[in-house]
Amino acid sequence: MDAWVRFSAQSQARERLCRAAQYACSLLGHALQKHGASPELQKQIRQLEGHLSLGRKLLRLGNSADALESAKRAVHLSDVVLRFCITVSHLNRALYFACDNVLWAGKSGLAPRVDQEKWAQRSFRYYLFSLIMNLSRDAYEIRLLMEQESSACSRRLKGSGGVPGGIETGGPGGPGVPGGGLCLPFNLDVHRPRLFLGPPEAEFGYSVLQHVGGGRQWMLVGAPWDGPSGDRRGDVYRCLVGGSHSAPCAKGHLGDHPLGNSSRPAVNMHLGMSLLETDGNGGFMACAPLWSRACGSSVFSSGICARVDASFRPQGSLAPTAQRCPTYMDVVIVLDGSNSIYPWSEVQTFLRRLVGRLFIDPEQIQVREGRMDGHGGKNRGERR
């Protein structure tokens, strides 16, 4: 039996090729008949289609054994409904292929006395029963998935302490979906909506997040194009839920803070493209996907996410793919301001030009100026 099943599995690909060729001949014959081709050519196409049909039936001789083997495996399923549907479906498929084999024997001349119309009806009947069992199995599995999702949603609601305010839910028998088949259904108030307005040029509303901080409920709204032209740092706005309808949304000014140990805010980082709640204490994360770091003349755009606490203050950042400048080097330049170096103004000009070409940043180059007064005087320095 196993050897025959393996052989039939290898024949299925050939059967699909014959089926494609048979359908192509059927389409070609219809096109030839429509355009008035010669009867002889149409007859040849019909004969070729019939030969391909017989070839397909020949390649399906082992499918009955394959279906019986599948039915034998389905008997051991633990779920009663799935065991019944799948087993009966495979048994009907086995009977369908058996009828198909009898039809092949009749058309090929091996059994000329076979009533082909009778066996064709039986074949169709078994095929229809197999389809009905498959559809019943699909409907049952969909119901199982909906019940699992409903149970998971109920566990999440119990863990979070209930439904957030402002959302009207419909549990079993409630105003939502009957029977609680879906999680968190709600109704939209289309007659008295609460509108949060912001600058459209900043792409206000690109991202939103329900937020609870300071004992109040907020709607956080991302505006990743906030800022002047050429410096779209982006920002996040806070909109009070349940307050006055005319109350404006407050800008968080998160884009003004330097992120990633940088000495100044990045340019065109588009902060607020995505917002994510991080904990139950009012913290959240605002991400800037185009945040960049410069290493000398090279600029690496790796993106960054800022951690923000309930008071809307940045508390660190997350940038796992950020590039670090590779090496560090200490360079000391000693200058003598006595009359032995002349003229002194040219030395000062040289220093200004040198420092002006450096990339001064906490992660790149830092400059310290030291000065010695007299012989053995005190060293006074300034770091920047």
Side-chain angles (χ1 to χ4, degrees):
M1 177 68 72
D2 294 338
W4 186 258
V5 170
R6 288 194 297 269
F7 172 76
S8 64
Q10 295 174 358
S11 302
Q12 288 180 2
R14 302 184 182 93
E15 191 270 336
R16 293 188 181 97
L17 290 176
C18 289
R19 179 172 56 187
Q22 178 189 352
Y23 292 163
C25 289
S26 178
L27 180 63
L28 179 60
H30 176 72
L32 292 175
Q33 183 180 5
K34 184 178 180 181
H35 290 84
S38 63
E40 184 66 23
L41 180 59
Q42 296 183 32
K43 180 180 179 181
Q44 292 178 357
I45 295 298
R46 285 194 298 270
Q47 290 178 351
L48 178 59
E49 180 185 355
H51 293 328
L52 290 173
S53 176
L54 289 176
R56 284 184 56 201
K57 296 181 185 299
L58 176 62
L59 293 173
R60 290 202 300 242
L61 287 176
N63 287 1
S64 295
D66 188 16
L68 290 175
E69 189 69 19
S70 300
K72 186 172 67 174
R73 291 194 299 266
V75 172
H76 302 286
L77 293 175
S78 59
D79 192 290
V80 178
V81 178
L82 290 179
R83 181 167 67 241
F84 174 77
C85 292
I86 296 177
T87 303
V88 174
S89 173
H90 286 311
L91 290 176
N92 279 278
R93 285 183 65 248
L95 294 173
Y96 158 71
F97 286 126
C99 295
D100 194 63
N101 295 335
V102 174
L103 287 173
W104 170 80
K107 290 183 178 180
S108 62
L110 296 178
R113 297 183 179 180
V114 170
D115 189 348
Q116 296 190 13
E117 182 178 356
K118 177 181 178 180
W119 284 97
Q121 291 179 357
R122 290 178 179 175
S123 175
F124 173 76
R125 188 181 301 116
Y126 291 131
Y127 184 73
L128 178 61
F129 287 162
S130 177
L131 288 180
I132 292 175
M133 288 296 102
N134 288 332
L135 291 175
S136 301
R137 181 197 63 184
D138 293 340
Y140 178 73
E141 290 181 339
I142 291 174
R143 179 186 173 186
L144 289 180
L145 291 175
M146 293 180 64
E147 290 178 352
Q148 293 175 2
E149 181 65 20
S150 178
S151 300
C153 290
S154 299
R155 288 193 298 268
R156 287 196 296 266
L157 285 178
K158 291 179 181 178
S160 60
V163 182
I167 298 180
E168 182 180 352
T169 61
V177 178
L182 297 177
C183 178
L184 282 181
F186 58 91
N187 298 328
L188 296 178
D189 187 356
V190 297
H191 300 289
R192 294 173 299 174
R194 177 70 169 94
L195 301 179
F196 300 111
L197 303 179
E201 66 277 4
E203 297 295 335
F204 180 86
Y206 190 93
S207 58
V208 295
L209 176 67
Q210 294 187 22
H211 177 67
V212 178
R216 311 179 77 177
Q217 295 180 351
W218 305 85
M219 178 68 74
L220 303 182
V221 183
W225 266 259
D226 188 82
S229 177
D231 188 8
R232 303 293 189 181
R233 299 179 186 178
D235 216 319
V236 179
Y237 286 75
R238 287 190 298 177
C239 306
L240 183 61
V241 177
S244 173
H245 278 234
S246 60
C249 297
K251 185 177 179 179
H253 295 284
L254 297 178
D256 298 337
H257 294 271
L259 303 176
N261 295 326
S262 179
S263 61
R264 55 187 179 275
V267 178
N268 291 326
M269 61 178 176
H270 297 289
L271 181 70
M273 269 196 171
S274 58
L275 302 172
L276 175 67
E277 185 178 4
T278 56
D279 52 47
N281 298 323
F284 69 96
M285 189 174 289
C287 297
L290 298 183
W291 178 85
S292 303
R293 167 173 287 171
C295 285
S297 58
S298 301
V299 179
F300 301 96
S301 298
S302 57
I304 197 171
C305 291
R307 295 188 180 95
V308 187
D309 60 11
S311 301
F312 231 70
R313 292 190 300 266
Q315 300 292 329
S317 58
L318 177 65
T321 60
Q323 294 279 350
R324 294 183 62 89
C325 298
T327 57
Y328 294 92
M329 180 183 298
D330 293 330
V331 178
V332 178
I333 301 177
V334 180
L335 300 175
D336 186 0
S338 64
N339 290 332
S340 60
I341 298 180
Y342 180 83
W344 178 247
S345 60
E346 293 186 4
V347 176
Q348 292 176 317
T349 301
F350 164 75
L351 285 178
R352 282 194 294 267
R353 291 178 178 176
L354 175 63
V355 175
R357 292 178 178 272
L358 299 179
F359 296 92
I360 300 177
D361 190 87
E363 290 291 320
Q364 298 193 55
I365 299 177
Q366 301 182 36
V367 178
R368 179 184 179 92
E369 178 184 359
R371 181 175 179 181
M372 298 293 295
D373 291 335
H375 298 286
K378 186 177 181 180
N379 184 3
R380 296 176 298 178
E382 179 183 355
R383 186 174 181 177
R384 51 183 177 147

